[in-house]
Amino acid sequence: MKEKPRTAFLAAPIVLLRGLVQAPNVAMVVIGVLITFSAVAALRVPINLTVSVTPEHSVRFNRQALEALPSAQIITQTPFTQGEQRFEGVALSNVLDAAGMGECADLKLSAMNRYQAMLSADMVARYQPVIAMKRNGQAMTLRTLGPLWLVFPLDQYPAIQNDRFYSAMVWQLTDIACQP
């Protein structure tokens, strides 16, 4: 049996591409508009962090509530970014204090995509991770692993440069729950 030529399948994309090449200004405007709207939409992701102290008591933090806490900064390299990065936000310990988190052995961290990680209270006290809202002076978006990302000062403590701590660096952080 003779195979049918595939030129019919290629005709539509070629005609479309030819039209874009002939009208580059229109194509550039359309592409620019799409990029602008997608960037603006990515920045508009609201910050909502829920800290569950007990099953009956939880505290929600929005951007304003987090920004009202003392600011913190970490300058470090991560296995998820290239080169040294400056992360700005609030210390996790300050968020836990503001939520009224008392004795808590472990924390369960949850992300938008349902990823979960466990973090001991001892790790928080010893290494003072930051819930970052900015990276290199820019508000973090979903595309840049935000709007909230728990970051450890990895360069300051070489002993924590391992998978246990990397897995606790939850980006797109949404929930923290006390695990007694």
Side-chain angles (χ1 to χ4, degrees):
M1 181 188 279
K2 193 173 185 182
E3 190 175 317
K4 293 182 181 179
R6 297 182 182 205
T7 56
F9 295 109
L10 298 175
I14 291 171
V15 169
L16 178 62
L17 287 173
R18 186 180 307 144
L20 289 176
V21 171
Q22 291 174 352
N25 293 336
V26 174
M28 295 309 282
V29 168
V30 170
I31 291 169
V33 168
L34 291 174
I35 289 170
T36 301
F37 283 127
S38 66
V40 169
L43 291 174
R44 290 188 181 164
V45 173
I47 288 180
N48 287 307
L49 176 65
T50 302
V51 179
S52 300
V53 180
T54 66
E56 302 82 30
H57 176 67
S58 62
V59 178
R60 287 186 178 251
F61 293 88
N62 60 17
R63 179 180 298 279
Q64 293 79 13
L66 289 173
E67 288 175 344
L69 298 173
S71 63
Q73 175 178 286
I74 290 177
I75 298 174
T76 192
Q77 296 181 57
T78 78
F80 314 107
T81 57
Q82 292 185 340
E84 194 173 80
Q85 307 287 311
R86 186 179 81 243
F87 296 95
E88 301 169 65
V90 295
L92 174 57
S93 58
N94 287 340
V95 173
L96 299 177
D97 289 345
M101 184 84 68
E103 293 297 316
C104 190
D106 293 310
L107 301 171
K108 181 169 73 172
L109 309 168
S110 301
M112 284 181 190
N113 67 356
R114 296 193 179 130
Y115 174 81
Q116 294 182 336
M118 297 299 290
L119 179 63
S120 74
D122 179 53
M123 291 165 62
V124 174
R126 185 177 301 159
Y127 301 112
Q128 290 297 309
V130 166
I131 298 175
M133 294 182 280
K134 291 183 179 180
R135 187 169 98 197
N136 299 325
Q138 300 295 315
M140 293 193 313
T141 66
L142 291 175
R143 289 184 180 175
T144 58
L145 306 180
L148 300 176
W149 184 5
L150 185 71
V151 180
F152 283 91
L154 298 172
D155 288 353
Q156 189 176 343
Y157 300 101
I160 67 173
Q161 295 176 11
N162 59 59
D163 288 342
R164 179 177 180 199
F165 285 87
Y166 299 157
S167 66
M169 292 178 63
V170 177
W171 56 73
Q172 298 175 352
L173 180 66
T174 58
D175 295 276
I176 301 171
C178 179
Q179 302 291 299

